[in-house]
Amino acid sequence: MGTSVTISTATDDDAEQILKLQYLCYQSEAALYDDYAIEPLTQTLASLRAELAESCVMVARLGPEVVGSVRGTVDADGTARIGKLMVHPRLQRHGLGGRLLAAVEQRLAQERAAKRYRLLTGHRSEGNLRLYRSHGYAPVGTEQLTRRLSMVTLEKELTTAS
């Protein structure tokens, strides 16, 4: 390709590309749980723009194309909630998800005083669970949301290496 992937803070100009990427990336999750009404597939552009204004949103770019993204917020007790980590299917399994995760963790710690990180994923999402465990996250709970879906909560404390 000749162009390397760069990671930076998302801007409002990225909203449409992020939403299209999100729709593409979450098709596999919807199929896994046989639920095409999941929030990432129904989120509106206006709602995403509001998240961009309030949250820490990072993007991975290959040239001008947004090929990955992740979002995070930090609550009053210092818990960072990380979500919607996604990488374009053609670039998965090359370490980009881990790079995005590390970038949002660093930004949340530096700019929003995060003390710990928390994220959720579906119980059947083995690739996600593997990625999060490899980056130091440990399961701390599971909540059954529907007959077909349980959400696994994973956490990681801030370390000096983060």
Side-chain angles (χ1 to χ4, degrees):
M1 287 184 194
T3 306
S4 62
V5 175
T6 59
I7 296 176
S8 60
T9 302
T11 68
D12 192 65
D13 291 339
D14 297 320
E16 287 184 36
Q17 283 194 69
I18 293 170
L19 194 61
K20 287 176 184 175
L21 178 67
Q22 179 174 305
Y23 189 81
L24 173 67
C25 290
Y26 277 88
Q27 293 296 317
S28 60
E29 289 293 301
L32 189 60
Y33 298 100
D34 192 27
D35 183 358
Y36 289 85
I38 59 176
E39 191 272 340
L41 297 182
T42 60
Q43 185 174 27
T44 64
L45 184 58
S47 170
L48 175 56
R49 287 189 192 283
E51 276 190 73
L52 281 166
E54 298 168 7
S55 304
C56 174
V57 182
M58 306 297 292
V59 291
R61 296 178 201 282
L62 182 61
E65 180 187 7
V66 172
V67 295
S69 184
V70 64
R71 302 171 207 177
T73 60
V74 178
D75 62 21
D77 76 351
T79 301
R81 299 180 189 282
I82 298 172
K84 293 193 179 107
L85 174 61
M86 60 192 134
V87 174
H88 193 288
R90 76 176 192 268
L91 295 173
Q92 290 176 1
R93 312 229 12 110
H94 294 284
L96 189 50
R99 287 179 55 201
L100 279 163
L101 186 58
V104 77
E105 287 174 355
Q106 181 180 26
R107 182 68 52 93
L108 292 169
Q110 290 175 347
E111 296 179 5
R112 301 190 182 205
K115 296 176 185 165
R116 76 196 58 76
Y117 305 104
R118 179 177 296 150
L119 45 80
L120 303 169
T121 195
H123 71 287
R124 293 185 198 154
S125 303
E126 285 302 321
N128 296 347
L129 290 164
R130 194 171 32 256
L131 171 70
Y132 300 143
R133 286 183 181 123
S134 73
H135 284 269
Y137 286 82
V140 296
T142 302
E143 179 183 2
Q144 186 166 353
L145 299 183
T146 69
R147 194 170 43 85
R148 293 183 300 240
L149 173 64
S150 295
M151 294 301 288
V152 180
T153 301
L154 298 103
E155 289 186 355
K156 173 172 118 171
E157 292 294 320
L158 179 71
T159 63
T160 54
S162 291

